[in-house]
Amino acid sequence: RDFYGYFRDLAANFARATKEDPQPKKTLVVDCAGGVGALSVRRLARELPGWLRLQVVNAPGQTPGVVTLNEGCGAECVQRTRRPPAHCETLASGCSVDGDADRVVFWYRRHTDGAFRVLDGDKIAALLVDFFAHEVARLPAELLRVGVVQTAYANGASTRYLRDRNVRVLTAKTGVKHLHAAAKQAFDVGVYFEANGHGTVLFSDAFRDHVAAANDTPRVSGPPALAALAALASQTVGDALADALLVEAVLAARGLSYAQWDALYEDLPSRMLKQTVEDRTVLRPTEESEARLAAPASLQRAIDDLVADFAAFSGRAFARPSGTEDVVRVYAEADTQHRADDLAHQVARAVYDLAAASDRGLSGVVVDRASCRAWDVMRALREGSSVGTARHTQTGETVRSSSGF
């Protein structure tokens, strides 16, 4: 059923935002993660203009193959593993939502080398803020505030790209509720997305008034379909279907392919690890930023020293206590994957040494403390030394250090 005209309104705004039918017509593959969101995708597909067709993959009970919710598919899986979703391995492009369709990431096969590429929440934010900043500049109005809200986990290359284009970037605490509040308070056009594709664009009343005035002023034409594009974005919560249509409408308006969108910037390689600790409250972030620790001060100094060693290689790292379990999340990035891994492992070792780490191990590796420390296991596994065994949590396999990791 079309409750409250939701699907009808989405499709109508999309049609108004894309007045000219792109040629050729397009099929957008939607990986539905084995969740109930597939029902909404199918219902929306019946309302869309003829040039855009939605092809549902990984719906509950769909053949070929039976999928379990989020198993090998869905937005978070694709964003984290950088691998094609199940049953999409041979497809050229598409998008993935999560089970209840509040997150979306896009993906495609690059023609030049066949590489599987993911266009995640950071890339979505860059595309949308570029578009709206350009269109707002065309409005005959006083300055409207356009900007992006990110978390500390946003890729540093995306932050650099935005700032190089004079886009104001704010950092909020992890969690959509914090991003939403910051975007609403700080901007007339506030774009926020987590890397997993959860986000939206918020518009102030002042923005809507200026768009309406521009369209009503003789000899002054407002940006084409800008009001319809703004109406696509949910103003209350992340909505994967609305976000997917907004992205497709902006790409059509700009005449961009996925590859051209992807070329806005190149992500820095990154690594995220989890270190189990006895008591996560030992780590206390500062009030200003969750990417810096007020306590233990010795741990923050150690992290600063490690990052300084990687400064010439675009190194960045931080340690943050989980909000739900006794683990510390370590994030690091650098100009190569090897350096990002190395920096992450060194920060994880500092957490182990200075923050009362538990015997249960580091980021998917079960460690026998009697044999060696977590860091030594990670280093030995990487270098191929013989120091025992570890269990890889993604595969469930027992991996001997002599085989590498």
Tab-separated table of all heavy atoms in Angstrom, residues 198-251:
chain	number	residue	atom	x	y	z
A	198	HIS	N	24.052	6.214	5.612
A	198	HIS	CA	22.909	6.696	6.389
A	198	HIS	C	23.000	8.206	6.488
A	198	HIS	O	23.929	8.745	7.074
A	198	HIS	CB	22.933	6.073	7.789
A	198	HIS	CG	21.624	6.176	8.505
A	198	HIS	ND1	21.396	5.603	9.727
A	198	HIS	CD2	20.452	6.782	8.171
A	198	HIS	CE1	20.160	5.837	10.119
A	198	HIS	NE2	19.568	6.559	9.182
A	199	GLY	N	22.026	8.904	5.912
A	199	GLY	CA	22.055	10.358	5.963
A	199	GLY	C	20.994	10.980	5.081
A	199	GLY	O	20.146	10.301	4.511
A	200	THR	N	21.057	12.299	4.940
A	200	THR	CA	20.110	13.024	4.107
A	200	THR	C	20.629	14.447	3.910
A	200	THR	O	21.758	14.778	4.296
A	200	THR	CB	18.701	13.026	4.743
A	200	THR	OG1	17.757	13.530	3.805
A	200	THR	CG2	18.653	13.847	6.016
A	201	VAL	N	19.800	15.289	3.303
A	201	VAL	CA	20.087	16.718	3.152
A	201	VAL	C	18.941	17.482	3.794
A	201	VAL	O	17.772	17.226	3.489
A	201	VAL	CB	20.208	17.127	1.670
A	201	VAL	CG1	20.661	18.588	1.564
A	201	VAL	CG2	21.171	16.209	0.927
A	202	LEU	N	19.266	18.414	4.688
A	202	LEU	CA	18.260	19.217	5.367
A	202	LEU	C	18.216	20.617	4.759
A	202	LEU	O	19.261	21.205	4.457
A	202	LEU	CB	18.566	19.310	6.860
A	202	LEU	CG	18.624	17.980	7.627
A	202	LEU	CD1	18.901	18.232	9.108
A	202	LEU	CD2	17.335	17.189	7.453
A	203	PHE	N	17.010	21.153	4.610
A	203	PHE	CA	16.818	22.472	4.009
A	203	PHE	C	16.043	23.359	4.982
A	203	PHE	O	15.023	22.937	5.545
A	203	PHE	CB	16.046	22.358	2.698
A	203	PHE	CG	16.730	21.505	1.670
A	203	PHE	CD1	16.374	20.171	1.509
A	203	PHE	CD2	17.749	22.022	0.883
A	203	PHE	CE1	17.006	19.379	0.575
A	203	PHE	CE2	18.388	21.240	-0.057
A	203	PHE	CZ	18.030	19.912	-0.218
A	204	SER	N	16.509	24.590	5.150
A	204	SER	CA	15.841	25.530	6.047
A	204	SER	C	14.651	26.190	5.350
A	204	SER	O	14.522	26.163	4.116
A	204	SER	CB	16.824	26.613	6.498
A	204	SER	OG	17.146	27.471	5.407
A	205	ASP	N	13.802	26.814	6.133
A	205	ASP	CA	12.699	27.583	5.564
A	205	ASP	C	13.227	28.724	4.706
A	205	ASP	O	12.618	29.071	3.680
A	205	ASP	CB	11.819	28.134	6.682
A	205	ASP	CG	11.030	27.041	7.400
A	205	ASP	OD1	10.862	25.950	6.819
A	205	ASP	OD2	10.596	27.286	8.550
A	206	ALA	N	14.349	29.316	5.101
A	206	ALA	CA	14.922	30.405	4.313
A	206	ALA	C	15.297	29.926	2.915
A	206	ALA	O	15.061	30.632	1.919
A	206	ALA	CB	16.148	30.971	5.025
A	207	PHE	N	15.879	28.742	2.818
A	207	PHE	CA	16.209	28.186	1.505
A	207	PHE	C	14.957	28.013	0.663
A	207	PHE	O	14.914	28.416	-0.514
A	207	PHE	CB	16.922	26.846	1.678
A	207	PHE	CG	17.047	26.055	0.404
A	207	PHE	CD1	18.090	26.304	-0.477
A	207	PHE	CD2	16.110	25.076	0.081
A	207	PHE	CE1	18.203	25.584	-1.667
A	207	PHE	CE2	16.218	24.355	-1.091
A	207	PHE	CZ	17.264	24.607	-1.970
A	208	ARG	N	13.920	27.426	1.224
A	208	ARG	CA	12.693	27.187	0.470
A	208	ARG	C	12.050	28.499	0.036
A	208	ARG	O	11.530	28.621	-1.081
A	208	ARG	CB	11.722	26.358	1.310
A	208	ARG	CG	12.263	24.975	1.657
A	208	ARG	CD	11.263	24.167	2.475
A	208	ARG	NE	11.874	22.947	2.976
A	208	ARG	CZ	12.048	21.845	2.250
A	208	ARG	NH1	11.651	21.821	0.997
A	208	ARG	NH2	12.618	20.767	2.782
A	209	ASP	N	12.090	29.508	0.905
A	209	ASP	CA	11.522	30.817	0.557
A	209	ASP	C	12.274	31.441	-0.618
A	209	ASP	O	11.666	32.018	-1.529
A	209	ASP	CB	11.566	31.757	1.759
A	209	ASP	CG	10.600	31.338	2.863
A	209	ASP	OD1	9.694	30.521	2.586
A	209	ASP	OD2	10.774	31.816	4.004
A	210	HIS	N	13.604	31.341	-0.611
A	210	HIS	CA	14.398	31.917	-1.693
A	210	HIS	C	14.148	31.199	-3.012
A	210	HIS	O	14.093	31.820	-4.072
A	210	HIS	CB	15.883	31.874	-1.340
A	210	HIS	CG	16.295	32.875	-0.301
A	210	HIS	ND1	15.923	34.201	-0.361
A	210	HIS	CD2	17.047	32.751	0.821
A	210	HIS	CE1	16.426	34.852	0.685
A	210	HIS	NE2	17.110	33.985	1.424
A	211	VAL	N	14.020	29.876	-2.958
A	211	VAL	CA	13.731	29.126	-4.179
A	211	VAL	C	12.376	29.529	-4.741
A	211	VAL	O	12.218	29.759	-5.948
A	211	VAL	CB	13.790	27.612	-3.919
A	211	VAL	CG1	13.280	26.833	-5.135
A	211	VAL	CG2	15.210	27.177	-3.585
A	212	ALA	N	11.377	29.631	-3.857
A	212	ALA	CA	10.038	30.021	-4.303
A	212	ALA	C	10.050	31.430	-4.880
A	212	ALA	O	9.428	31.701	-5.919
A	212	ALA	CB	9.056	29.927	-3.143
A	213	ALA	N	10.752	32.362	-4.232
A	213	ALA	CA	10.811	33.737	-4.716
A	213	ALA	C	11.500	33.822	-6.071
A	213	ALA	O	11.092	34.583	-6.953
A	213	ALA	CB	11.536	34.611	-3.694
A	214	ALA	N	12.554	33.047	-6.248
A	214	ALA	CA	13.270	33.059	-7.523
A	214	ALA	C	12.379	32.570	-8.655
A	214	ALA	O	12.382	33.122	-9.758
A	214	ALA	CB	14.522	32.185	-7.437
A	215	ASN	N	11.582	31.561	-8.385
A	215	ASN	CA	10.708	31.022	-9.418
A	215	ASN	C	9.542	31.950	-9.729
A	215	ASN	O	8.951	31.867	-10.808
A	215	ASN	CB	10.174	29.652	-8.989
A	215	ASN	CG	11.252	28.580	-9.049
A	215	ASN	OD1	12.176	28.684	-9.842
A	215	ASN	ND2	11.135	27.578	-8.202
A	216	ASP	N	9.173	32.841	-8.784
A	216	ASP	CA	8.041	33.737	-8.977
A	216	ASP	C	8.440	35.117	-9.505
A	216	ASP	O	7.576	35.928	-9.817
A	216	ASP	CB	7.292	33.931	-7.653
A	216	ASP	CG	6.573	32.654	-7.221
A	216	ASP	OD1	6.368	31.784	-8.088
A	216	ASP	OD2	6.262	32.527	-6.022
A	217	THR	N	9.747	35.393	-9.569
A	217	THR	CA	10.210	36.715	-9.977
A	217	THR	C	10.300	36.814	-11.494
A	217	THR	O	10.948	35.968	-12.119
A	217	THR	CB	11.591	37.015	-9.360
A	217	THR	OG1	11.477	36.950	-7.944
A	217	THR	CG2	12.069	38.401	-9.764
A	218	PRO	N	9.664	37.824	-12.122
A	218	PRO	CA	9.762	37.978	-13.571
A	218	PRO	C	11.219	38.123	-14.018
A	218	PRO	O	12.028	38.799	-13.373
A	218	PRO	CB	8.984	39.276	-13.837
A	218	PRO	CG	8.071	39.420	-12.663
A	218	PRO	CD	8.819	38.841	-11.498
A	219	ARG	N	11.556	37.460	-15.094
A	219	ARG	CA	12.882	37.493	-15.726
A	219	ARG	C	13.966	36.906	-14.827
A	219	ARG	O	15.147	37.038	-15.115
A	219	ARG	CB	13.269	38.928	-16.140
A	219	ARG	CG	12.377	39.495	-17.227
A	219	ARG	CD	12.782	40.898	-17.572
A	219	ARG	NE	12.607	41.800	-16.422
A	219	ARG	CZ	13.098	43.037	-16.356
A	219	ARG	NH1	13.791	43.533	-17.370
A	219	ARG	NH2	12.891	43.792	-15.293
A	220	VAL	N	13.577	36.320	-13.736
A	220	VAL	CA	14.550	35.625	-12.888
A	220	VAL	C	14.109	34.170	-12.780
A	220	VAL	O	13.073	33.880	-12.205
A	220	VAL	CB	14.663	36.242	-11.480
A	220	VAL	CG1	15.602	35.416	-10.623
A	220	VAL	CG2	15.150	37.678	-11.576
A	221	SER	N	14.896	33.277	-13.334
A	221	SER	CA	14.534	31.856	-13.320
A	221	SER	C	15.313	31.147	-12.230
A	221	SER	O	16.545	31.208	-12.184
A	221	SER	CB	14.857	31.206	-14.672
A	221	SER	OG	14.638	29.824	-14.621
A	222	GLY	N	14.595	30.523	-11.329
A	222	GLY	CA	15.271	29.743	-10.297
A	222	GLY	C	15.950	28.544	-10.907
A	222	GLY	O	15.656	28.134	-12.032
A	223	PRO	N	16.884	27.930	-10.204
A	223	PRO	CA	17.546	26.731	-10.716
A	223	PRO	C	16.514	25.685	-11.122
A	223	PRO	O	15.582	25.416	-10.372
A	223	PRO	CB	18.386	26.260	-9.525
A	223	PRO	CG	18.605	27.503	-8.720
A	223	PRO	CD	17.364	28.313	-8.885
A	224	PRO	N	16.662	25.105	-12.287
A	224	PRO	CA	15.663	24.150	-12.783
A	224	PRO	C	15.441	23.007	-11.795
A	224	PRO	O	16.382	22.363	-11.339
A	224	PRO	CB	16.290	23.636	-14.085
A	224	PRO	CG	17.241	24.706	-14.490
A	224	PRO	CD	17.753	25.305	-13.222
A	225	ALA	N	14.191	22.787	-11.472
A	225	ALA	CA	13.768	21.644	-10.664
A	225	ALA	C	14.397	21.611	-9.272
A	225	ALA	O	14.374	20.577	-8.612
A	225	ALA	CB	14.079	20.346	-11.401
A	226	LEU	N	14.930	22.732	-8.810
A	226	LEU	CA	15.597	22.726	-7.506
A	226	LEU	C	14.610	22.417	-6.383
A	226	LEU	O	14.937	21.685	-5.439
A	226	LEU	CB	16.290	24.069	-7.263
A	226	LEU	CG	17.165	24.184	-6.009
A	226	LEU	CD1	18.204	23.078	-5.968
A	226	LEU	CD2	17.829	25.555	-5.942
A	227	ALA	N	13.426	22.966	-6.465
A	227	ALA	CA	12.434	22.700	-5.428
A	227	ALA	C	12.070	21.219	-5.391
A	227	ALA	O	11.911	20.631	-4.314
A	227	ALA	CB	11.187	23.549	-5.659
A	228	ALA	N	11.934	20.611	-6.571
A	228	ALA	CA	11.600	19.185	-6.624
A	228	ALA	C	12.741	18.334	-6.087
A	228	ALA	O	12.511	17.338	-5.389
A	228	ALA	CB	11.267	18.778	-8.055
A	229	LEU	N	13.971	18.715	-6.389
A	229	LEU	CA	15.122	17.980	-5.863
A	229	LEU	C	15.160	18.064	-4.343
A	229	LEU	O	15.399	17.061	-3.654
A	229	LEU	CB	16.420	18.535	-6.449
A	229	LEU	CG	16.767	18.062	-7.855
A	229	LEU	CD1	17.822	18.976	-8.480
A	229	LEU	CD2	17.272	16.629	-7.820
A	230	ALA	N	14.917	19.261	-3.819
A	230	ALA	CA	14.921	19.422	-2.364
A	230	ALA	C	13.810	18.600	-1.729
A	230	ALA	O	13.976	18.051	-0.628
A	230	ALA	CB	14.772	20.897	-2.007
A	231	ALA	N	12.672	18.491	-2.426
A	231	ALA	CA	11.549	17.730	-1.875
A	231	ALA	C	11.826	16.235	-1.830
A	231	ALA	O	11.158	15.498	-1.102
A	231	ALA	CB	10.291	18.003	-2.703
A	232	LEU	N	12.818	15.768	-2.591
A	232	LEU	CA	13.161	14.349	-2.556
A	232	LEU	C	13.812	13.942	-1.244
A	232	LEU	O	13.687	12.797	-0.805
A	232	LEU	CB	14.119	14.002	-3.707
A	232	LEU	CG	13.512	13.747	-5.076
A	232	LEU	CD1	14.611	13.597	-6.121
A	232	LEU	CD2	12.638	12.498	-5.049
A	233	ALA	N	14.538	14.848	-0.618
A	233	ALA	CA	15.326	14.499	0.567
A	233	ALA	C	14.443	14.457	1.814
A	233	ALA	O	13.723	15.414	2.105
A	233	ALA	CB	16.464	15.502	0.761
A	234	SER	N	14.506	13.369	2.558
A	234	SER	CA	13.773	13.263	3.810
A	234	SER	C	14.285	14.295	4.805
A	234	SER	O	15.497	14.478	4.964
A	234	SER	CB	13.929	11.861	4.400
A	234	SER	OG	13.403	11.812	5.709
A	235	GLN	N	13.369	14.967	5.487
A	235	GLN	CA	13.744	15.981	6.473
A	235	GLN	C	13.694	15.449	7.901
A	235	GLN	O	13.899	16.208	8.851
A	235	GLN	CB	12.828	17.197	6.338
A	235	GLN	CG	12.909	17.873	4.987
A	235	GLN	CD	14.324	18.324	4.649
A	235	GLN	OE1	14.803	19.328	5.193
A	235	GLN	NE2	15.005	17.595	3.764
A	236	THR	N	13.428	14.172	8.056
A	236	THR	CA	13.303	13.610	9.396
A	236	THR	C	14.280	12.491	9.695
A	236	THR	O	14.694	12.315	10.840
A	236	THR	CB	11.883	13.074	9.624
A	236	THR	OG1	11.572	12.119	8.602
A	236	THR	CG2	10.864	14.203	9.585
A	237	VAL	N	14.670	11.702	8.670
A	237	VAL	CA	15.493	10.524	8.922
A	237	VAL	C	16.146	10.080	7.621
A	237	VAL	O	15.682	10.451	6.528
A	237	VAL	CB	14.623	9.379	9.494
A	237	VAL	CG1	13.661	8.834	8.445
A	237	VAL	CG2	15.469	8.264	10.087
A	238	GLY	N	17.222	9.290	7.733
A	238	GLY	CA	17.810	8.711	6.548
A	238	GLY	C	16.822	7.798	5.840
A	238	GLY	O	16.164	6.981	6.476
A	239	ASP	N	16.684	7.953	4.531
A	239	ASP	CA	15.726	7.188	3.732
A	239	ASP	C	16.458	6.750	2.472
A	239	ASP	O	16.732	7.547	1.584
A	239	ASP	CB	14.521	8.067	3.393
A	239	ASP	CG	13.468	7.355	2.552
A	239	ASP	OD1	13.808	6.384	1.859
A	239	ASP	OD2	12.305	7.792	2.582
A	240	ALA	N	16.770	5.453	2.382
A	240	ALA	CA	17.589	4.963	1.283
A	240	ALA	C	16.928	5.173	-0.066
A	240	ALA	O	17.603	5.476	-1.059
A	240	ALA	CB	17.896	3.473	1.481
A	241	LEU	N	15.620	5.014	-0.161
A	241	LEU	CA	14.938	5.166	-1.438
A	241	LEU	C	14.970	6.617	-1.894
A	241	LEU	O	15.258	6.914	-3.063
A	241	LEU	CB	13.499	4.661	-1.333
A	241	LEU	CG	13.314	3.221	-0.863
A	241	LEU	CD1	11.855	2.815	-0.961
A	241	LEU	CD2	14.186	2.275	-1.664
A	242	ALA	N	14.676	7.538	-0.977
A	242	ALA	CA	14.739	8.959	-1.316
A	242	ALA	C	16.161	9.367	-1.686
A	242	ALA	O	16.382	10.105	-2.663
A	242	ALA	CB	14.226	9.793	-0.143
A	243	ASP	N	17.142	8.897	-0.917
A	243	ASP	CA	18.532	9.249	-1.203
A	243	ASP	C	18.977	8.700	-2.557
A	243	ASP	O	19.700	9.373	-3.309
A	243	ASP	CB	19.457	8.714	-0.099
A	243	ASP	CG	19.294	9.459	1.211
A	243	ASP	OD1	18.821	10.607	1.190
A	243	ASP	OD2	19.629	8.885	2.268
A	244	ALA	N	18.563	7.466	-2.885
A	244	ALA	CA	18.946	6.877	-4.162
A	244	ALA	C	18.372	7.675	-5.328
A	244	ALA	O	19.061	7.943	-6.321
A	244	ALA	CB	18.478	5.423	-4.239
A	245	LEU	N	17.114	8.092	-5.209
A	245	LEU	CA	16.515	8.898	-6.268
A	245	LEU	C	17.172	10.268	-6.362
A	245	LEU	O	17.374	10.803	-7.460
A	245	LEU	CB	15.014	9.053	-6.027
A	245	LEU	CG	14.162	7.792	-6.170
A	245	LEU	CD1	12.693	8.128	-5.989
A	245	LEU	CD2	14.394	7.109	-7.512
A	246	LEU	N	17.515	10.853	-5.222
A	246	LEU	CA	18.189	12.154	-5.228
A	246	LEU	C	19.530	12.056	-5.930
A	246	LEU	O	19.896	12.914	-6.751
A	246	LEU	CB	18.364	12.651	-3.788
A	246	LEU	CG	19.035	14.016	-3.604
A	246	LEU	CD1	18.281	15.105	-4.358
A	246	LEU	CD2	19.128	14.367	-2.116
A	247	VAL	N	20.299	11.016	-5.631
A	247	VAL	CA	21.588	10.814	-6.295
A	247	VAL	C	21.400	10.650	-7.799
A	247	VAL	O	22.095	11.279	-8.601
A	247	VAL	CB	22.328	9.600	-5.706
A	247	VAL	CG1	23.486	9.165	-6.605
A	247	VAL	CG2	22.844	9.922	-4.308
A	248	GLU	N	20.450	9.808	-8.199
A	248	GLU	CA	20.230	9.578	-9.630
A	248	GLU	C	19.768	10.860	-10.325
A	248	GLU	O	20.155	11.132	-11.467
A	248	GLU	CB	19.212	8.461	-9.839
A	248	GLU	CG	19.729	7.075	-9.473
A	248	GLU	CD	20.861	6.608	-10.374
A	248	GLU	OE1	21.021	7.137	-11.487
A	248	GLU	OE2	21.599	5.682	-9.952
A	249	ALA	N	18.954	11.666	-9.662
A	249	ALA	CA	18.505	12.926	-10.253
A	249	ALA	C	19.666	13.908	-10.421
A	249	ALA	O	19.768	14.590	-11.450
A	249	ALA	CB	17.409	13.546	-9.389
A	250	VAL	N	20.545	13.986	-9.426
A	250	VAL	CA	21.700	14.889	-9.516
A	250	VAL	C	22.663	14.419	-10.604
A	250	VAL	O	23.180	15.230	-11.385
A	250	VAL	CB	22.399	15.002	-8.148
A	250	VAL	CG1	23.752	15.684	-8.284
A	250	VAL	CG2	21.515	15.764	-7.165
A	251	LEU	N	22.910	13.118	-10.674
A	251	LEU	CA	23.768	12.595	-11.731
A	251	LEU	C	23.192	12.913	-13.112
A	251	LEU	O	23.923	13.303	-14.038
A	251	LEU	CB	23.949	11.089	-11.581
A	251	LEU	CG	24.764	10.619	-10.373
A	251	LEU	CD1	24.720	9.090	-10.273
A	251	LEU	CD2	26.207	11.097	-10.451
